[in-house]
Amino acid sequence: MEFVPDNVDVDELERRKALYGPLAEAVRELVDATIRSEVDDEVIREVHAEVAAATSKLRARQIDGAFGMRLTAAGESIAWGNAGVGLRNAIAPPLVIESDDSGRHWTDVTLGAAYEGPPGMVHGGICALVLDHLLGVTASADARRYTGTLTLRYLRATPLGPLRAEARVVGVDGRKATVRGTLSDSAGVTVEAEGIFISRR
Amino acid sequence: MEFVPDNVDVDELERRKALYGPLAEAVRELVDATIRSEVDDEVIREVHAEVAAATSKLRARQIDGAFGMRLTAAGESIAWGNAGVGLRNAIAPPLVIESDDSGRHWTDVTLGAAYEGPPGMVHGGICALVLDHLLGVTASADARRYTGTLTLRYLRATPLGPLRAEARVVGVDGRKATVRGTLSDSAGVTVEAEGIFISRR
C-alpha cells in the first residue's frame, strides 16, 4: 500500500477535477453508446478509428501502471482511478458516498445499460461492487479497513435505474468492524450485505 | 426476464462480432488512457470534444434502454451488453469462460488500471464481479440459475495483472446449486467464494 503525496492546493485540485471529470463523463457516455448503437457498419468503423486516435493522443504522455492513491497537502485522498468512485475512471458510476452524524453512510446512484446482467437488471457482481465499496468506506470511518468477508443475499433482481445503497457499522472488535447494508430500488430492498472489515496492524 | 429472438445465422453473427468487438476493445483502451494520461490540458479538452462527437455519431440510431439478451436461431445467447462478459461492453474485461467435462469452469483474465481499488490492487468489488459471474455460469450448466447468496473471503489483496478464477458445483438440491470458486494470482488463491444459485420455478 502506497500513498503518493501530491502537494496540490485546493484551487489546483478543483481545476483538475473540472478538467478530468468531464472527460471521464464523456467516456461513460461513449461506453453506453457502444453497447446501444445501431448505426451503419461504416460509421462504427469510423468511430473505432476516431476512438483509437483519441487514445493515442492521451497516451502520448501517461503514468506507468495504475493511478494509485495520492494524498493532497490537506490530507484528502485522491483515488481517481478507483473502480467504484474514481473521477477519472469511466467504469466507476462514479459512486458519491454521503454520511450523517449517526454513522449512516449512503449513496444514490443511477445504473444504466453498461451495468446490465440479466435483461434489464443490474449484474449481481455490480450490486456486489456497489455494496463492497460502500461497506468498506463505512467500516473505515475511524481507521482504514479492508474487506475480510462479504456476504450478499440477493432477495430479488435489481432493476437498472435509480438505486440507493445504505450501510452502518453494527459492531467493532479491535481491528474488525462488522458492517451491514442494503441496496434498494423504489419498491424496497433488493440485496442485503454483511461484511467484516479488518485494519492492517 | 425476456430473451429476444434474433434470427441471425452463424456468418452474420461472426460479422457482427468482428465489427463491434474491436470498437469495444478500443473503448477499453480509451478508458485506461483516460485514467493514466498526463498530457497537457488543451489536449485533454480536445479529446473530450472528439469523444463527445464520436458518441453523437453512435447515438444517431440506437436501441431504447439496455441491450438485454438475444437468442440466435441456433439457440446461442448474445449478451453483448453484459457487465461481465459483454462483447460490446467496455466495462466488461470481457470474461471468457471455459469448462471441461469434469464440470470445472474457469476464466483467465488480465485486469488493468480500470479495475483498481487499493493502490496497485484489484477492487474487492471487481473480484466479486468476476466470481459472481463465473459461479453463476457454473451453476447454470444444466438449468439457468440466479445468485441467491454469495459469500466472499478475501485472503489477501489481489494484485492487478493476470489472474485466474475457477469454480465447480459442489452440490445440487432441487432448484438450488451450491458452487465454490477461487480467484488466484501466480502465488495462489487471493479470494474464496461460495454461492447458492437458484433456478426460477
Side-chain angles (χ1 to χ4, degrees):
Chain A
M1 287 290 304
E2 286 174 35
F3 298 92
V4 181
D6 189 341
N7 291 317
V8 294
D9 62 22
V10 174
D11 287 350
E12 172 60 13
L13 193 67
E14 289 306 313
R15 195 191 64 75
R16 291 192 197 169
K17 282 184 187 172
L19 181 68
Y20 295 118
L23 171 61
E25 198 49 54
V27 178
R28 287 183 192 103
E29 289 291 321
L30 178 65
V31 169
D32 180 273
T34 296
I35 296 167
R36 298 169 57 202
S37 184
E38 295 203 297
V39 296
D40 294 341
D41 294 12
E42 75 242 31
V43 183
I44 296 285
R45 288 193 197 96
E46 234 175 77
V47 167
H48 176 180
E50 288 164 3
V51 168
T55 301
S56 294
K57 279 191 194 177
L58 292 179
R59 291 212 192 282
R61 201 166 70 237
Q62 66 178 9
I63 57 168
D64 287 335
F67 190 86
M69 184 107 70
R70 306 181 193 177
L71 278 183
T72 66
E76 187 182 348
S77 68
I78 309 176
W80 287 351
N82 186 284
V85 296
L87 176 89
R88 289 179 63 168
N89 189 338
I91 286 186
L95 302 174
V96 176
I97 294 174
E98 302 178 81
S99 61
D100 65 21
D101 289 346
S102 78
R104 190 171 64 100
H105 286 66
W106 71 92
T107 182
D108 290 310
V109 62
T110 297
L111 298 179
Y115 299 98
E116 190 176 40
M121 302 295 169
V122 181
H123 194 293
I126 296 292
C127 297
L129 171 65
V130 170
L131 286 163
D132 173 68
H133 198 100
L134 175 66
L135 269 61
V137 169
T138 304
S140 299
D142 59 336
R144 190 172 290 275
R145 291 188 171 90
Y146 297 88
T147 319
T149 67
L150 180 67
T151 301
L152 301 148
R153 277 171 289 272
Y154 294 84
L155 307 184
R156 61 182 168 90
T158 303
L160 293 172
L163 301 167
R164 167 170 284 205
E166 289 192 14
R168 172 185 296 282
V169 174
V170 296
V172 177
D173 179 9
R175 293 165 54 222
K176 282 188 190 177
T178 302
V179 184
R180 287 204 193 117
T182 54
L183 182 66
S184 303
D185 67 2
S186 61
V189 174
T190 60
V191 185
E192 292 174 347
E194 179 169 313
I196 295 173
F197 292 81
I198 303 169
S199 60
R200 302 284 163 86
R201 276 176 220 278
Chain B
M1 287 291 302
E2 286 174 36
F3 297 91
V4 180
D6 189 341
N7 291 317
V8 293
D9 62 21
V10 174
D11 287 350
E12 171 62 12
L13 193 67
E14 289 307 314
R15 197 192 64 75
R16 290 193 199 168
K17 281 183 187 172
L19 181 69
Y20 296 118
L23 171 61
E25 199 47 53
V27 177
R28 286 183 192 102
E29 288 292 322
L30 177 64
V31 169
D32 180 273
T34 296
I35 296 167
R36 297 169 56 202
S37 184
E38 294 203 299
V39 296
D40 293 342
D41 294 12
E42 73 242 32
V43 183
I44 296 285
R45 288 193 197 96
E46 235 175 79
V47 167
H48 176 180
E50 288 163 3
V51 168
T55 302
S56 294
K57 281 191 194 176
L58 292 178
R59 290 211 192 283
R61 200 166 71 238
Q62 66 177 8
I63 57 168
D64 287 336
F67 189 86
M69 183 108 69
R70 306 181 195 178
L71 279 183
T72 66
E76 187 182 348
S77 68
I78 309 175
W80 287 350
N82 186 284
V85 295
L87 176 89
R88 290 178 62 167
N89 189 337
I91 285 186
L95 302 174
V96 177
I97 294 174
E98 301 178 81
S99 61
D100 64 22
D101 290 345
S102 78
R104 191 171 64 99
H105 286 67
W106 70 92
T107 182
D108 290 310
V109 61
T110 296
L111 298 178
Y115 300 97
E116 189 176 41
M121 302 295 168
V122 181
H123 193 294
I126 296 293
C127 299
L129 171 65
V130 171
L131 286 162
D132 173 69
H133 198 99
L134 175 66
L135 270 61
V137 169
T138 304
S140 299
D142 58 335
R144 192 173 289 274
R145 291 187 170 90
Y146 298 89
T147 319
T149 66
L150 180 68
T151 302
L152 301 149
R153 277 170 290 273
Y154 293 84
L155 307 184
R156 60 183 167 91
T158 302
L160 293 172
L163 300 167
R164 167 170 283 206
E166 289 192 14
R168 173 183 294 285
V169 174
V170 296
V172 176
D173 180 9
R175 295 167 52 223
K176 282 188 191 177
T178 303
V179 185
R180 287 204 192 116
T182 54
L183 182 66
S184 302
D185 66 3
S186 61
V189 174
T190 60
V191 186
E192 293 174 347
E194 180 170 312
I196 295 172
F197 292 81
I198 304 168
S199 61
R200 301 284 164 85
R201 276 177 222 277

